[in-house]
Amino acid sequence: MSLQTIYAHKTIGITDLKRDGGIIDHISEPIAILKRDSVKAYLIPEKLMSALADYLEDIKLAKMANERISKEWDKAIAVDINDL
């Protein structure tokens, strides 16, 4: 038997989730979905999913901006402030 990290404070068995599908309407934090005592999926609230999607988009945009800045940096011209 191997140990598995669970990235949620709460868990529910897949069978219990099937029996009581109403739990989906009341989640406020991530829940690990277990099948035979092994994590198979995570159920997260819509607001958290939206925040994660925004965060991932921000990371992608920051990476793109940094790549563009590094390309433009090579075109920079050194000047002396007194020459302006």
Side-chain angles (χ1 to χ4, degrees), residues 6-12 26 28-34 42:
I6 298 177
Y7 300 103
H9 294 290
K10 295 181 180 179
T11 63
I12 187 169
H26 304 291
S28 59
E29 62 182 319
I31 298 174
I33 309 297
L34 304 177
Y42 289 92

Side-chain angles (χ1 to χ4, degrees), residues 3 5 20 27 31 83:
L3 293 177
T5 303
D20 184 16
I27 64 168
I31 298 174
D83 292 342

Side-chain angles (χ1 to χ4, degrees), residues 3-66:
L3 293 177
Q4 184 179 17
T5 303
I6 298 177
Y7 300 103
H9 294 290
K10 295 181 180 179
T11 63
I12 187 169
I14 190 105
T15 304
D16 295 330
L17 182 62
K18 288 178 184 178
R19 268 191 229 134
D20 184 16
I23 194 166
I24 292 173
D25 297 328
H26 304 291
I27 64 168
S28 59
E29 62 182 319
I31 298 174
I33 309 297
L34 304 177
K35 181 177 180 183
R36 296 187 183 146
D37 296 329
S38 179
V39 176
K40 296 299 177 186
Y42 289 92
L43 182 62
I44 60 173
E46 183 273 332
K47 286 182 181 180
L48 178 57
M49 183 62 207
S50 178
L52 286 172
D54 289 346
Y55 179 72
L56 292 173
E57 184 177 356
D58 289 347
I59 290 173
K60 181 180 174 182
L61 291 173
K63 182 179 177 184
M64 192 183 323
N66 287 332

